[in-house]
């Protein structure tokens, strides 16, 4: 499965993928105030800023999923519902780990919504370890929004 850099022309499509996947897997776990802020335009705006660090899987113009990095963090990983179980997420996480390791990151981390058991199982199956909970300031159009998250970590290279 080929992972490639996202193209600027795919932002609108990726925003819909992110919106639909986030609402399908996170909305029931998030405070209502945060859910109201998670609109398609909000996802589009966040993707536009992240684009240089976003890779995708799927056809040009209509990717099935994406992964964004931010420093030593696997910042976002979302796939469309039709891509569940197809290997898209596994290809994206493997690529993200390789990109982080190439940056010299030894201990990568990611945030996972507390209670998102499906994602937690996927991360654990991919070799990530749940290191506990922390309060994360999630990006929103109204500024940072505090949300309790699970922190997953993975050692990528030996010290």
């Amino acid at each position: 499965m080929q992972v490639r850099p996202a193209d600027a022309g795919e932002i609108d499509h990726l925003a819909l993928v992110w919106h639909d996947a986030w609402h399908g897997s996170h909305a029931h776990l998030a405070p209502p105030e945060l859910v109201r802020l998670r609109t398609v335009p909000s996802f589009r705006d966040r993707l536009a800023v992240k684009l240089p660090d976003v890779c995708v899987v799927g056809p040009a113009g209509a990717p099935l999923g994406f992964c964004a990095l931010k420093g030593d963090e696997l910042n976002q990983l979302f796939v469309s519902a039709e891509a569940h179980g197809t290997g898209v997420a596994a290809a994206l996480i493997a690529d993200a780990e390789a990109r982080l390791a190439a940056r010299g990151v030894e201990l990568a981390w990611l945030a996972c919504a507390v209670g998102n058991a499906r994602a937690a199982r996927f991360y654990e199956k991919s070799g990530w370890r749940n290191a506990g909970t922390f309060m994360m300031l999630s990006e929103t159009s109204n500024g940072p929004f505090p949300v309790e998250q699970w922190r997953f970590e993975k050692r990528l290279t030996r010290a």
Side-chain angles (χ1 to χ4, degrees), residues 8-53:
E10 297 174 319
I11 290 177
D12 289 336
H13 179 80
L14 290 170
L16 288 173
V17 168
W18 194 1
H19 173 272
D20 293 350
W22 189 90
H23 279 271
S25 61
H26 291 75
H28 69 286
L29 302 170
E33 313 88 79
L34 180 59
V35 175
R36 281 192 293 278
L37 294 170
R38 293 299 191 224
T39 63
V40 173
S42 77
F43 288 113
R44 188 195 189 293
D45 292 346
R46 290 169 64 203
L47 270 167
V49 173
K50 296 177 185 307
L51 194 63
D53 284 319

Side-chain angles (χ1 to χ4, degrees), residues 25 28-29 112-124 150 152:
S25 61
H28 69 286
L29 302 170
C112 178
V114 171
N116 189 343
R118 178 187 175 108
R121 281 191 307 272
F122 170 73
Y123 296 134
E124 289 168 347
W150 283 324
F152 279 80

